[in-house]
Amino acid sequence: MKTPHLYILLCLWSALQIPLQSQEPYHAYFFEGDEVVFEFDIRYFEEASRAGAFWKTDFEDIDVESVAIAGDFNNWSADEWRMKKVGEGRYQLRKQIEDFEDAFRWEFKFVVNGKFWAEPSETIRNKGKTTPTGSFWQETYNMELYTARPDTTADDCFFLPGYPDAEKVVLSGNFNAWDESAFTMQKVDGGWETCLSLDAGRYEYKFIVDGEWMHDPSNPQTVKNQYATLNSVYEIKRETQFRLAGFEDAEEVRLAGSFTDWEDRALRMHREGKAWVVSLPLTGGKHLYKFIVDGNWITDPANPIKEYDWKGNLNSVKMVE
């Protein structure tokens, strides 16, 4: 009678030996609702480095008492972002997405007991070769965070008409690194919809209907992608004001820039008090510009940010978010 029990125990033991790679890939972080969740799981780590030393220590020889996150976001501090223990060998730290103002690409590592730097194993996908200033390691985690997030009160809504029998429709684009599951759309009258909080910019996107990718049939603005199919294009512009103080004796002031292809007659400015002003909608990103005062091209005297173009001309820089 003991044989069946022994057989069952052997089967259970074998199941526990299945490599972790067969499970969901470990990323060191994931998104959950409006939060970024950093996760340290000791099962995915084999070695750690120690500050000031060139040899590595096996995790089997480390009694884990605390784990923190160090990276670009906290000047590689070894104890500022402390993690909370959530299970045997598992630690997490949750941060609100809204705490991060811009889209970014971070590099970070886990610090164990304030002195051991966990080295990413070969099975971890989001890592890269790097050498942070003042550090001796060569591999860190790469985290790309996009501040686009679902918001039922937002003005930027995406709608796919039809498909009443579809089980799942997803919105995917360069605003979320083409994630295939992050932005699930809601079924509404006449189709599927989701609204996002987005910064000004030019976005490419597609819908995924029950696993099938398709561009937006209601949007005529498209661009070809590397797969010889079409991505839909959505642009968000922000009303942006340019202001030139003084020059009260000038007869005419105009604005020219990368957004007008440097056309010198495109945008005429008007007097408002003791300044010349003009407003126009611009997409997010960097824009170069100059003022033209009675035919003379000048940079913005109130803007210290300037940049040379490929022709060697010095221009003022306007950043739109």
Side-chain angles (χ1 to χ4, degrees):
M1 294 298 294
K2 293 183 179 181
T3 302
H5 294 288
L6 179 60
Y7 176 76
I8 292 173
L9 288 173
L10 286 173
C11 289
L12 289 173
W13 182 87
S14 299
L16 292 173
Q17 307 309 306
I18 296 175
L20 290 171
Q21 295 92 311
S22 64
Q23 301 176 10
E24 185 69 20
Y26 173 68
H27 291 276
Y29 71 93
F30 58 90
F31 299 101
E32 189 172 274
D34 291 335
E35 294 181 319
V36 185
V37 184
F38 298 90
E39 183 173 76
F40 172 84
D41 190 328
I42 196 172
R43 295 175 300 170
Y44 291 89
F45 294 90
E46 298 174 358
E47 296 179 321
S49 299
R50 187 163 182 172
F54 291 96
W55 61 85
K56 292 181 173 59
T57 303
D58 290 338
F59 257 99
E60 294 178 354
D61 300 327
I62 300 175
D63 183 13
V64 179
E65 297 177 354
S66 66
V67 183
I69 301 170
D72 295 334
F73 34 69
N74 60 10
N75 295 318
W76 295 95
S77 170
D79 57 9
E80 184 177 343
W81 283 25
R82 292 267 182 172
M83 305 183 75
K84 180 181 179 180
K85 189 172 184 179
V86 295
E88 188 62 34
R90 290 177 60 235
Y91 292 76
Q92 287 185 351
L93 177 66
R94 294 174 177 267
K95 291 285 186 178
Q96 291 289 323
I97 293 177
E98 62 185 16
D99 291 341
F100 304 99
E101 297 179 352
D102 301 306
F104 57 77
R105 183 181 180 90
W106 290 124
E107 293 178 347
F108 69 94
K109 293 195 77 164
F110 294 105
V111 190
V112 178
N113 297 347
K115 57 186 177 182
F116 295 103
W117 298 81
E119 296 295 338
S121 72
E122 294 302 318
T123 62
I124 296 175
R125 295 170 56 185
N126 57 312
K127 66 175 184 174
K129 299 289 184 181
T130 187
T131 307
T133 303
S135 302
F136 56 86
W137 57 77
Q138 292 186 337
E139 289 186 332
T140 63
Y141 299 100
N142 293 321
M143 182 179 78
E144 289 190 74
L145 177 62
Y146 295 81
T147 53
R149 58 185 182 275
D151 185 348
T152 56
T153 64
D155 296 327
D156 301 308
C157 296
F158 296 80
F159 179 74
L160 175 64
Y163 298 92
D165 298 326
E167 294 184 3
K168 184 178 181 180
V169 179
V170 174
L171 171 66
S172 182
N174 59 359
F175 40 70
N176 66 358
W178 298 99
D179 192 291
E180 299 181 28
S181 60
F183 296 158
T184 300
M185 303 182 71
Q186 302 299 314
K187 194 171 186 179
V188 296
D189 290 341
W192 299 77
E193 184 181 60
T194 191
C195 299
L196 303 181
S197 173
L198 291 169
D199 291 331
R202 180 182 181 278
Y203 300 100
E204 295 181 19
Y205 69 97
K206 300 189 86 161
F207 298 120
I208 310 175
V209 181
D210 290 339
E212 296 294 326
W213 292 73
M214 60 177 291
H215 64 276
D216 187 345
S218 303
N219 184 357
Q221 192 173 359
T222 58
V223 63
K224 277 192 175 181
N225 57 38
Q226 67 268 36
Y227 305 107
T229 62
L230 297 177
N231 293 340
S232 297
V233 177
Y234 182 62
E235 288 189 329
I236 302 176
K237 296 184 178 182
R238 298 283 185 255
E239 196 67 21
T240 307
Q241 184 184 81
F242 292 82
R243 181 183 181 89
L244 176 64
F247 297 91
E248 298 177 33
D249 296 331
E251 295 184 2
E252 181 183 74
V253 179
R254 291 181 181 268
L255 173 68
S258 53
F259 40 82
T260 67
D261 290 329
W262 298 101
E263 169 57 51
D264 60 354
R265 309 298 296 176
L267 297 171
R268 185 169 184 169
M269 304 180 73
H270 65 275
R271 288 294 298 272
E272 191 174 281
K274 295 184 178 181
W276 298 83
V277 299
V278 67
S279 296
L280 69 155
L282 292 178
T283 57
K286 180 174 68 175
H287 302 276
L288 305 180
Y289 69 98
K290 274 187 172 180
F291 298 119
I292 310 172
V293 182
D294 291 338
N296 297 314
W297 293 65
I298 66 170
T299 57
D300 187 345
N303 183 358
I305 305 175
K306 297 177 174 60
E307 182 179 294
Y308 284 97
D309 61 21
W310 63 277
K311 292 182 179 180
N313 300 311
L314 183 63
N315 305 300
S316 296
V317 177
K318 172 78 79 173
M319 297 298 298
V320 178
E321 295 182 355

